[in-house]
PDB file of all heavy atoms in Angstrom:
ATOM      1  N   ASP A  24       0.801  -1.234   0.000  1.00 66.00           N
ATOM      2  CA  ASP A  24       0.000   0.000   0.000  1.00 66.00           C
ATOM      3  C   ASP A  24       0.829   1.277   0.000  1.00 66.00           C
ATOM      4  O   ASP A  24       0.431   2.298   0.549  1.00 66.00           O
ATOM      5  CB  ASP A  24      -0.984   0.017   1.177  1.00 66.00           C
ATOM      6  CG  ASP A  24      -2.073  -1.024   1.017  1.00 66.00           C
ATOM      7  OD1 ASP A  24      -2.479  -1.276  -0.133  1.00 66.00           O
ATOM      8  OD2 ASP A  24      -2.510  -1.586   2.036  1.00 66.00           O
ATOM      9  N   LYS A  25       1.993   1.240  -0.629  1.00 74.00           N
ATOM     10  CA  LYS A  25       2.846   2.418  -0.772  1.00 74.00           C
ATOM     11  C   LYS A  25       2.503   3.100  -2.084  1.00 74.00           C
ATOM     12  O   LYS A  25       2.182   2.437  -3.075  1.00 74.00           O
ATOM     13  CB  LYS A  25       4.330   2.038  -0.741  1.00 74.00           C
ATOM     14  CG  LYS A  25       4.751   1.335   0.527  1.00 74.00           C
ATOM     15  CD  LYS A  25       4.600   2.252   1.722  1.00 74.00           C
ATOM     16  CE  LYS A  25       5.019   1.557   2.991  1.00 74.00           C
ATOM     17  NZ  LYS A  25       4.738   2.305   4.177  1.00 74.00           N
ATOM     18  N   SER A  26       2.584   4.414  -2.099  1.00 81.00           N
ATOM     19  CA  SER A  26       2.183   5.170  -3.286  1.00 81.00           C
ATOM     20  C   SER A  26       3.307   6.046  -3.821  1.00 81.00           C
ATOM     21  O   SER A  26       3.849   6.872  -3.084  1.00 81.00           O
ATOM     22  CB  SER A  26       0.989   6.069  -2.965  1.00 81.00           C
ATOM     23  OG  SER A  26      -0.125   5.315  -2.587  1.00 81.00           O
ATOM     24  N   ALA A  27       3.630   5.865  -5.096  1.00 86.00           N
ATOM     25  CA  ALA A  27       4.543   6.774  -5.781  1.00 86.00           C
ATOM     26  C   ALA A  27       3.743   8.028  -6.129  1.00 86.00           C
ATOM     27  O   ALA A  27       2.520   7.976  -6.257  1.00 86.00           O
ATOM     28  CB  ALA A  27       5.093   6.131  -7.045  1.00 86.00           C
ATOM     29  N   ASP A  28       4.416   9.141  -6.309  1.00 89.00           N
ATOM     30  CA  ASP A  28       3.709  10.393  -6.575  1.00 89.00           C
ATOM     31  C   ASP A  28       2.923  10.349  -7.888  1.00 89.00           C
ATOM     32  O   ASP A  28       1.836  10.891  -7.978  1.00 89.00           O
ATOM     33  CB  ASP A  28       4.697  11.561  -6.578  1.00 89.00           C
ATOM     34  CG  ASP A  28       5.229  11.824  -5.186  1.00 89.00           C
ATOM     35  OD1 ASP A  28       4.415  12.106  -4.293  1.00 89.00           O
ATOM     36  OD2 ASP A  28       6.447  11.727  -4.984  1.00 89.00           O
ATOM     37  N   ILE A  29       3.502   9.714  -8.911  1.00 94.00           N
ATOM     38  CA  ILE A  29       2.821   9.556 -10.200  1.00 94.00           C
ATOM     39  C   ILE A  29       3.069   8.133 -10.695  1.00 94.00           C
ATOM     40  O   ILE A  29       4.151   7.581 -10.516  1.00 94.00           O
ATOM     41  CB  ILE A  29       3.336  10.560 -11.257  1.00 94.00           C
ATOM     42  CG1 ILE A  29       3.056  11.999 -10.822  1.00 94.00           C
ATOM     43  CG2 ILE A  29       2.720  10.285 -12.635  1.00 94.00           C
ATOM     44  CD1 ILE A  29       3.653  13.062 -11.743  1.00 94.00           C
ATOM     45  N   ARG A  30       2.060   7.570 -11.310  1.00 92.00           N
ATOM     46  CA  ARG A  30       2.191   6.259 -11.949  1.00 92.00           C
ATOM     47  C   ARG A  30       1.829   6.449 -13.418  1.00 92.00           C
ATOM     48  O   ARG A  30       0.687   6.752 -13.754  1.00 92.00           O
ATOM     49  CB  ARG A  30       1.249   5.260 -11.296  1.00 92.00           C
ATOM     50  CG  ARG A  30       1.307   3.871 -11.901  1.00 92.00           C
ATOM     51  CD  ARG A  30       0.246   2.979 -11.239  1.00 92.00           C
ATOM     52  NE  ARG A  30       0.289   1.645 -11.748  1.00 92.00           N
ATOM     53  CZ  ARG A  30       0.481   0.568 -11.010  1.00 92.00           C
ATOM     54  NH1 ARG A  30       0.654   0.694  -9.704  1.00 92.00           N
ATOM     55  NH2 ARG A  30       0.493  -0.620 -11.555  1.00 92.00           N
ATOM     56  N   ALA A  31       2.818   6.280 -14.286  1.00 95.00           N
ATOM     57  CA  ALA A  31       2.581   6.348 -15.730  1.00 95.00           C
ATOM     58  C   ALA A  31       2.479   4.924 -16.235  1.00 95.00           C
ATOM     59  O   ALA A  31       3.321   4.078 -15.889  1.00 95.00           O
ATOM     60  CB  ALA A  31       3.730   7.071 -16.417  1.00 95.00           C
ATOM     61  N   SER A  32       1.449   4.631 -17.040  1.00 94.00           N
ATOM     62  CA  SER A  32       1.266   3.242 -17.471  1.00 94.00           C
ATOM     63  C   SER A  32       0.780   3.151 -18.912  1.00 94.00           C
ATOM     64  O   SER A  32       0.109   4.044 -19.422  1.00 94.00           O
ATOM     65  CB  SER A  32       0.282   2.524 -16.545  1.00 94.00           C
ATOM     66  OG  SER A  32      -0.955   3.180 -16.512  1.00 94.00           O
ATOM     67  N   PHE A  33       1.170   2.026 -19.521  1.00 94.00           N
ATOM     68  CA  PHE A  33       0.793   1.743 -20.901  1.00 94.00           C
ATOM     69  C   PHE A  33       0.866   0.239 -21.113  1.00 94.00           C
ATOM     70  O   PHE A  33       1.900  -0.383 -20.863  1.00 94.00           O
ATOM     71  CB  PHE A  33       1.747   2.440 -21.876  1.00 94.00           C
ATOM     72  CG  PHE A  33       1.471   2.130 -23.320  1.00 94.00           C
ATOM     73  CD1 PHE A  33       0.473   2.797 -24.007  1.00 94.00           C
ATOM     74  CD2 PHE A  33       2.196   1.156 -23.979  1.00 94.00           C
ATOM     75  CE1 PHE A  33       0.197   2.506 -25.333  1.00 94.00           C
ATOM     76  CE2 PHE A  33       1.932   0.852 -25.309  1.00 94.00           C
ATOM     77  CZ  PHE A  33       0.932   1.532 -25.989  1.00 94.00           C
ATOM     78  N   GLY A  34      -0.231  -0.364 -21.535  1.00 92.00           N
ATOM     79  CA  GLY A  34      -0.250  -1.776 -21.895  1.00 92.00           C
ATOM     80  C   GLY A  34       0.275  -2.724 -20.836  1.00 92.00           C
ATOM     81  O   GLY A  34       0.999  -3.665 -21.150  1.00 92.00           O
ATOM     82  N   GLY A  35      -0.062  -2.486 -19.578  1.00 89.00           N
ATOM     83  CA  GLY A  35       0.367  -3.370 -18.509  1.00 89.00           C
ATOM     84  C   GLY A  35       1.728  -3.034 -17.911  1.00 89.00           C
ATOM     85  O   GLY A  35       2.126  -3.588 -16.898  1.00 89.00           O
ATOM     86  N   PHE A  36       2.463  -2.144 -18.555  1.00 92.00           N
ATOM     87  CA  PHE A  36       3.763  -1.700 -18.044  1.00 92.00           C
ATOM     88  C   PHE A  36       3.559  -0.365 -17.356  1.00 92.00           C
ATOM     89  O   PHE A  36       2.783   0.464 -17.819  1.00 92.00           O
ATOM     90  CB  PHE A  36       4.760  -1.556 -19.202  1.00 92.00           C
ATOM     91  CG  PHE A  36       6.119  -1.066 -18.786  1.00 92.00           C
ATOM     92  CD1 PHE A  36       7.002  -1.894 -18.114  1.00 92.00           C
ATOM     93  CD2 PHE A  36       6.516   0.226 -19.061  1.00 92.00           C
ATOM     94  CE1 PHE A  36       8.253  -1.451 -17.728  1.00 92.00           C
ATOM     95  CE2 PHE A  36       7.757   0.690 -18.681  1.00 92.00           C
ATOM     96  CZ  PHE A  36       8.631  -0.155 -18.018  1.00 92.00           C
ATOM     97  N   ASN A  37       4.225  -0.149 -16.226  1.00 93.00           N
ATOM     98  CA  ASN A  37       4.086   1.142 -15.559  1.00 93.00           C
ATOM     99  C   ASN A  37       5.423   1.629 -15.034  1.00 93.00           C
ATOM    100  O   ASN A  37       6.342   0.841 -14.806  1.00 93.00           O
ATOM    101  CB  ASN A  37       3.030   1.078 -14.451  1.00 93.00           C
ATOM    102  CG  ASN A  37       3.487   0.302 -13.249  1.00 93.00           C
ATOM    103  OD1 ASN A  37       4.181   0.842 -12.396  1.00 93.00           O
ATOM    104  ND2 ASN A  37       3.114  -0.976 -13.165  1.00 93.00           N
ATOM    105  N   VAL A  38       5.512   2.934 -14.880  1.00 94.00           N
ATOM    106  CA  VAL A  38       6.726   3.570 -14.376  1.00 94.00           C
ATOM    107  C   VAL A  38       6.344   4.442 -13.185  1.00 94.00           C
ATOM    108  O   VAL A  38       5.576   5.392 -13.338  1.00 94.00           O
ATOM    109  CB  VAL A  38       7.409   4.432 -15.465  1.00 94.00           C
ATOM    110  CG1 VAL A  38       8.639   5.143 -14.898  1.00 94.00           C
ATOM    111  CG2 VAL A  38       7.788   3.586 -16.663  1.00 94.00           C
ATOM    112  N   PRO A  39       6.876   4.119 -11.996  1.00 95.00           N
ATOM    113  CA  PRO A  39       6.637   4.988 -10.854  1.00 95.00           C
ATOM    114  C   PRO A  39       7.515   6.227 -10.947  1.00 95.00           C
ATOM    115  O   PRO A  39       8.687   6.147 -11.336  1.00 95.00           O
ATOM    116  CB  PRO A  39       7.046   4.120  -9.660  1.00 95.00           C
ATOM    117  CG  PRO A  39       8.019   3.143 -10.209  1.00 95.00           C
ATOM    118  CD  PRO A  39       7.645   2.922 -11.650  1.00 95.00           C
ATOM    119  N   ILE A  40       6.939   7.369 -10.600  1.00 96.00           N
ATOM    120  CA  ILE A  40       7.667   8.628 -10.596  1.00 96.00           C
ATOM    121  C   ILE A  40       7.588   9.182  -9.172  1.00 96.00           C
ATOM    122  O   ILE A  40       6.500   9.508  -8.693  1.00 96.00           O
ATOM    123  CB  ILE A  40       7.083   9.639 -11.605  1.00 96.00           C
ATOM    124  CG1 ILE A  40       7.109   9.044 -13.022  1.00 96.00           C
ATOM    125  CG2 ILE A  40       7.840  10.959 -11.541  1.00 96.00           C
ATOM    126  CD1 ILE A  40       6.380   9.881 -14.064  1.00 96.00           C
ATOM    127  N   GLU A  41       8.730   9.243  -8.518  1.00 96.00           N
ATOM    128  CA  GLU A  41       8.802   9.792  -7.165  1.00 96.00           C
ATOM    129  C   GLU A  41       9.296  11.229  -7.259  1.00 96.00           C
ATOM    130  O   GLU A  41      10.230  11.523  -8.009  1.00 96.00           O
ATOM    131  CB  GLU A  41       9.737   8.957  -6.293  1.00 96.00           C
ATOM    132  CG  GLU A  41       9.846   9.434  -4.863  1.00 96.00           C
ATOM    133  CD  GLU A  41       8.525   9.470  -4.101  1.00 96.00           C
ATOM    134  OE1 GLU A  41       7.560   8.752  -4.467  1.00 96.00           O
ATOM    135  OE2 GLU A  41       8.437  10.233  -3.132  1.00 96.00           O
ATOM    136  N   ILE A  42       8.650  12.125  -6.503  1.00 96.00           N
ATOM    137  CA  ILE A  42       8.945  13.551  -6.585  1.00 96.00           C
ATOM    138  C   ILE A  42       9.341  14.083  -5.208  1.00 96.00           C
ATOM    139  O   ILE A  42       8.718  13.735  -4.201  1.00 96.00           O
ATOM    140  CB  ILE A  42       7.715  14.328  -7.101  1.00 96.00           C
ATOM    141  CG1 ILE A  42       7.359  13.868  -8.514  1.00 96.00           C
ATOM    142  CG2 ILE A  42       7.961  15.833  -7.049  1.00 96.00           C
ATOM    143  CD1 ILE A  42       6.050  14.427  -9.036  1.00 96.00           C
ATOM    144  N   LYS A  43      10.343  14.941  -5.201  1.00 96.00           N
ATOM    145  CA  LYS A  43      10.749  15.651  -3.988  1.00 96.00           C
ATOM    146  C   LYS A  43      11.068  17.100  -4.348  1.00 96.00           C
ATOM    147  O   LYS A  43      11.477  17.392  -5.464  1.00 96.00           O
ATOM    148  CB  LYS A  43      11.998  15.023  -3.359  1.00 96.00           C
ATOM    149  CG  LYS A  43      11.794  13.634  -2.798  1.00 96.00           C
ATOM    150  CD  LYS A  43      10.918  13.667  -1.569  1.00 96.00           C
ATOM    151  CE  LYS A  43      10.694  12.284  -0.999  1.00 96.00           C
ATOM    152  NZ  LYS A  43       9.300  11.913  -0.911  1.00 96.00           N
ATOM    153  N   ARG A  44      10.893  17.986  -3.376  1.00 95.00           N
ATOM    154  CA  ARG A  44      11.376  19.355  -3.521  1.00 95.00           C
ATOM    155  C   ARG A  44      12.838  19.371  -3.086  1.00 95.00           C
ATOM    156  O   ARG A  44      13.256  18.542  -2.280  1.00 95.00           O
ATOM    157  CB  ARG A  44      10.554  20.327  -2.669  1.00 95.00           C
ATOM    158  CG  ARG A  44       9.105  20.393  -3.094  1.00 95.00           C
ATOM    159  CD  ARG A  44       8.301  21.457  -2.384  1.00 95.00           C
ATOM    160  NE  ARG A  44       8.595  21.552  -0.962  1.00 95.00           N
ATOM    161  CZ  ARG A  44       8.355  22.638  -0.231  1.00 95.00           C
ATOM    162  NH1 ARG A  44       7.819  23.712  -0.776  1.00 95.00           N
ATOM    163  NH2 ARG A  44       8.630  22.662   1.049  1.00 95.00           N
ATOM    164  N   SER A  45      13.600  20.328  -3.573  1.00 93.00           N
ATOM    165  CA  SER A  45      15.034  20.383  -3.274  1.00 93.00           C
ATOM    166  C   SER A  45      15.327  20.618  -1.801  1.00 93.00           C
ATOM    167  O   SER A  45      16.444  20.412  -1.351  1.00 93.00           O
ATOM    168  CB  SER A  45      15.716  21.458  -4.121  1.00 93.00           C
ATOM    169  OG  SER A  45      15.094  22.717  -3.966  1.00 93.00           O
ATOM    170  N   CYS A  46      14.332  21.003  -1.026  1.00 91.00           N
ATOM    171  CA  CYS A  46      14.522  21.232   0.403  1.00 91.00           C
ATOM    172  C   CYS A  46      13.961  20.100   1.263  1.00 91.00           C
ATOM    173  O   CYS A  46      13.962  20.190   2.491  1.00 91.00           O
ATOM    174  CB  CYS A  46      13.882  22.563   0.814  1.00 91.00           C
ATOM    175  SG  CYS A  46      12.131  22.697   0.384  1.00 91.00           S
ATOM    176  N   HIS A  47      13.508  19.018   0.651  1.00 91.00           N
ATOM    177  CA  HIS A  47      12.923  17.916   1.429  1.00 91.00           C
ATOM    178  C   HIS A  47      13.997  17.228   2.263  1.00 91.00           C
ATOM    179  O   HIS A  47      15.086  16.935   1.785  1.00 91.00           O
ATOM    180  CB  HIS A  47      12.255  16.918   0.479  1.00 91.00           C
ATOM    181  CG  HIS A  47      11.346  15.971   1.186  1.00 91.00           C
ATOM    182  ND1 HIS A  47      11.812  14.903   1.916  1.00 91.00           N
ATOM    183  CD2 HIS A  47       9.999  15.932   1.275  1.00 91.00           C
ATOM    184  CE1 HIS A  47      10.784  14.245   2.426  1.00 91.00           C
ATOM    185  NE2 HIS A  47       9.670  14.858   2.050  1.00 91.00           N
TER     186      HIS A  47
END
């Protein structure tokens, strides 16, 4: 139940996109 900031997906394949600010 962990969530990446964005999940891009196409045809069963997906790419997690994790986002941070430079001050995190």
Side-chain angles (χ1 to χ4, degrees):
D24 292 326
K25 301 296 180 188
S26 298
D28 291 301
I29 298 174
R30 180 184 182 122
S32 58
F33 177 81
F36 178 74
N37 72 83
V38 177
I40 302 172
E41 181 59 23
I42 298 172
K43 293 291 180 238
R44 297 187 319 158
S45 55
C46 55
H47 195 283

